[in-house]
Amino acid sequence: MLRYLVFRLLQALVVLLLLSAATYGLLGLMPGDPIDLMVGADPRITSADIARLKALQGLDLPLWERYLNWLTAALQGDLGYSRLYTQPVLDIVAERMPRTLLLIGLALVLALAVAIPAAVVAARNPGGAVDRGVNLLCFAGISVPAFWLALILIILFAVVLGWLPAGGTVSAQGGGLADRAAHLVLPVATLAAASVAAYTRHLRAALIEALGEDYVRTARAKGLSERVVTTRHALRNALLPVVTLLGLDLGSLVSGALVTETMFAQPGMGKTIYDAVMGNDYNLALVGLLVAAAATLLGNLGADLAYARLDPRIVYRTDPAT
């Protein structure tokens, strides 16, 4: 297992290296650059000033040479400077990434806490009233856009009922843990809605298939209760598709939390990546996209390791031929 883990981590580093080159090239091909934006904001700037500023920031060099300079600095721990926020990129990521990870982590925990019981109840009687109701709610959760759900939750719980704050991370007067938790309720619920629907449907289908297997019939023949058969025997194997979804969701949620963070004024990585791309902030955009890619790779690795934990028959080897 240790050899496999090292092998996969080395693969992830190679993928990130290639992805950084491709992303840097695409960002470099975008129309305009930070100096061009400065020219538009200051009509008194001269062509000599433009040339001097581009030389100062290395924008007069070929694209491949600029990338090598960035990579050399990045390997030494210098990720560059953000033009939009006038701060080192590393400081911005260190400040905003924990907020996004907290939001994502709570959303995934909520999604699993709702999806697993709902799938188990629905799978026990396929086609029944409860199963149809769960399926209907799942289709609604997948179909409803995140921004629309966010608006409905804000109107209902913040405007009409006044139970929860509409956005932000803390009240204007400042607050403790309870106040910060209250500001997370609506964004976490919004972000978890689509995941709940997807996890429930996949787990329900896997459970229905697992409950028809021979080992489940054997467990029932031994006199085990239906609850024990479902939770201890069928559920463990049925969780494999959900583990796959969790691994894929981690990276997409880091970059895809844009809508939720924007609607609820949560300063996280999703909003930061969007602002950096739209503002031609090359350094911040590149690092933000690499962070999302690294989250996806780590999520896939975690899912692979969880497979072996859930199913002892799975054995990992580093030889592709095996």
Side-chain angles (χ1 to χ4, degrees):
M1 179 63 73
L2 180 60
R3 183 180 177 184
Y4 173 79
L5 180 61
V6 172
F7 178 73
R8 286 293 303 274
L9 289 176
L10 291 176
Q11 278 187 328
L13 290 177
V14 173
V15 171
L16 287 177
L17 179 62
L18 296 176
L19 186 61
S20 68
T23 305
Y24 196 95
L26 293 174
L27 289 174
L29 294 176
M30 291 177 61
D33 58 40
I35 305 304
D36 294 330
L37 297 178
M38 293 174 60
V39 172
D42 187 1
R44 296 174 299 175
I45 195 169
T46 65
S47 58
D49 295 331
I50 295 173
R52 186 172 61 255
L53 288 172
K54 288 194 174 184
L56 182 63
Q57 298 193 16
L59 296 175
D60 59 335
L61 299 174
L63 189 60
W64 65 268
E65 189 172 350
R66 286 156 51 189
Y67 169 71
L68 290 179
N69 291 337
W70 176 86
L71 182 61
T72 302
L75 293 176
Q76 298 173 358
D78 181 11
L79 298 179
Y81 206 78
S82 169
R83 183 189 64 83
L84 286 178
Y85 297 95
T86 62
Q87 296 179 26
V89 170
L90 190 59
D91 292 346
I92 299 172
V93 174
E95 176 189 359
R96 304 201 171 198
M97 190 63 187
R99 296 172 180 170
T100 297
L101 290 179
L102 177 63
L103 186 64
I104 291 172
L106 292 175
L108 291 178
V109 170
L110 176 62
L112 291 175
V114 175
I116 292 177
V120 170
V121 172
R124 285 182 176 177
N125 185 22
V130 174
D131 185 34
R132 291 196 297 271
V134 169
N135 278 326
L136 180 62
L137 292 176
C138 288
F139 281 123
I142 295 173
S143 304
V144 171
F147 74 89
W148 186 85
L149 178 60
L151 285 174
I152 294 300
L153 292 179
I154 290 173
I155 293 172
L156 178 59
F157 292 101
V159 178
V160 177
L161 298 176
W163 292 351
L164 296 168
T169 57
V170 66
S171 299
Q173 300 81 8
L177 182 60
D179 179 68
R180 294 179 181 273
H183 283 80
L184 287 171
V185 172
L186 294 183
V188 167
T190 302
L191 196 59
S195 297
V196 168
Y199 298 162
T200 301
R201 285 193 53 79
H202 281 81
L203 184 56
R204 169 192 170 275
L207 264 176
I208 291 175
E209 181 180 355
L211 288 173
E213 297 290 339
D214 292 338
Y215 68 89
V216 172
R217 286 194 290 268
T218 302
R220 287 170 175 160
K222 291 179 179 180
L224 298 178
S225 65
E226 191 65 23
R227 181 182 63 83
V228 173
V229 170
T230 303
T231 57
R232 294 189 182 180
H233 294 271
L235 182 60
R236 183 168 183 173
N237 289 328
L239 281 174
L240 292 177
V242 177
V243 170
T244 303
L245 287 177
L246 281 171
L248 295 175
D249 275 355
L250 185 58
S252 61
L253 287 175
V254 170
S255 58
L258 166 64
V259 174
T260 302
E261 291 175 351
T262 301
M263 295 297 297
F264 294 100
Q266 295 281 332
M269 283 303 299
K271 185 70 165 58
T272 301
I273 293 173
Y274 175 79
D275 291 340
V277 173
M278 298 304 295
N280 281 5
D281 192 345
Y282 295 156
N283 290 330
L284 183 56
L286 176 59
V287 173
L289 293 172
L290 288 179
V291 167
T296 302
L297 294 172
L298 291 177
N300 289 337
L301 177 58
D304 288 343
L305 297 178
Y307 289 159
R309 181 68 176 176
L310 292 171
D311 191 347
R313 296 171 298 177
I314 298 177
V315 179
Y316 293 114
R317 298 183 177 90
T318 57
D319 184 5
T322 58

